Amino acid sequence: MPRILKAWTATAAAALSVMLIWPLPVSRAAASPEVQAAFPAFPVTVNGTVTDQTHSPYPLLLYRDTTYFPMTWNYTSSLGLTVSWSKESGLSLDKKDGCIPLAQDLTAEANANSGSSPAAVPAPFPVKVNGKTIVNADEPYPVLLYRNIVYFPMTWRFAHKEFNWKTSWDGVRGFAIQSCTKPSEEGRIQAEALNLANGGQLAVKDGWVYMNPYLWSEGAHQLVRSKPDGSSRTKLSDDKATSINVVDDDWLYYIASEPSKPNAIYKMKTDGTERTLISQTNASRLWVQDGWMYYLHLVERRGNDNAPFYSPNGMERMRTDGSEKQILLSGMDINNFFLQGERLYVLTDEGEKKTLYAMGNDGSGRTELREKVTDFTVIDGWIYYVKDGKQLRKMSADGSVDIPLHESARIPVFGLNYRDGWVYYVSGSFGVSRSASVERIRLDGTGRQTLAEARATALYIAEDQLYFPNWSMGDRTMEHMNIDKPQP
């Protein structure tokens, strides 16, 4: 939870970088009568980040069909505003250069539903915008106080003329505001990470999809390149490729299996040339970042029929040229991991425990976050995870806030991915008499939809296309559909 600043103290005036709060309760401070606002019933996006208004302690308001933003540190920083306060001059909002990505402070307790009418009051103090005094009493869209927090209207006059922001409205995506150009790298890196976390059978870069369209128990395999809609397909190699990474724009790093070199690491140009063996180490879940290759180390084991198979026995990393191998975790059965900058999330399989840990990307500082986790991913700084195979939840990066989103009747739930405010997942199991479906739900846990009945083993997103390997008697064939036009 963010700290609260008391606007009438000198200390708070100097440190208004956290939150502006009016010193007296609304009923005492306001000279104006209450007005009835509402909670937006539509999605709201700030610089490309879709907000969770359901679990926000300071949700956006809607008054006279105009969206109001709370002047918290998170919002003012992401909107590129400086805020100051004094008893003599009141509130001042000024545009500044630059802004930071929106960080969301959420609570497990959901707000009142969108049908309620929260009571607010016009702010009873002077307001200036870019040095210009606003007579709040004469404003058709006055600055408001709600829960003793200052709320500012996103009207055309302020958003466009004073702050030079871009706003848009879409019947599906709702209200969006662009105060700063969100670095395209942020969205691309997250999308690549989500595809990698699902096994990396598909990767996207610069309008091209690199994928292995078939994972068959027998038969030929291919590593191909195509447009997101499946057109312009070209075969690059005959590799049975997984964990496909696009590195430095023109190199593919991936894992391929051959009889003499099972689960080895290769690289190849994106045009299919210069295929090179990097390491014969038995690896899975390859993830390339900042000159390092992170992967699960596999060891050969024997089944009941004495047939060999490979399973994880720890985690390692090495340089992209195959040098400087380092052991990050030893002797652990690891299901999956997610790499985010210098932070590494690891899901281990310790019998029935199945524990999610956080640690440094060098293996240091391992901390337990949750037990009974069966799948997880990281979206906009929040960890979305599945508990006991059926409960979809999300928690803060340090695990201090935990929010239930949905409990599925079909189990297990897995294959989490994300696009434009929707969390995508698979619900169900495979087998002769079993079934599964591809579903999505808004990141606040509302609006669940079934997109297709399919035995999908993973989910990948390439622009407006949802790709999934469809399971049939052990073979997996990649299929795709328009993400905004679900099909049976």
Side-chain angles (χ1 to χ4, degrees), residues 302-342:
R302 297 282 171 172
N304 294 333
D305 56 357
N306 207 35
F309 69 95
Y310 293 91
S311 66
N313 189 42
M315 184 174 180
E316 299 176 348
R317 71 175 181 177
M318 69 173 72
R319 292 292 184 181
T320 50
D321 61 2
S323 64
E324 295 186 47
K325 181 185 290 187
Q326 299 177 4
I327 298 174
L328 303 181
L329 292 171
S330 179
M332 300 184 71
D333 189 351
I334 301 172
N335 282 341
N336 199 1
F337 68 91
F338 195 105
L339 186 59
Q340 188 178 50
E342 297 182 355

Side-chain angles (χ1 to χ4, degrees), residues 420-439:
D420 289 346
W422 291 95
V423 179
Y424 293 78
Y425 60 92
V426 182
S427 179
S429 57
F430 311 147
V432 176
S433 60
R434 297 177 182 177
S435 61
S437 58
V438 178
E439 302 178 7

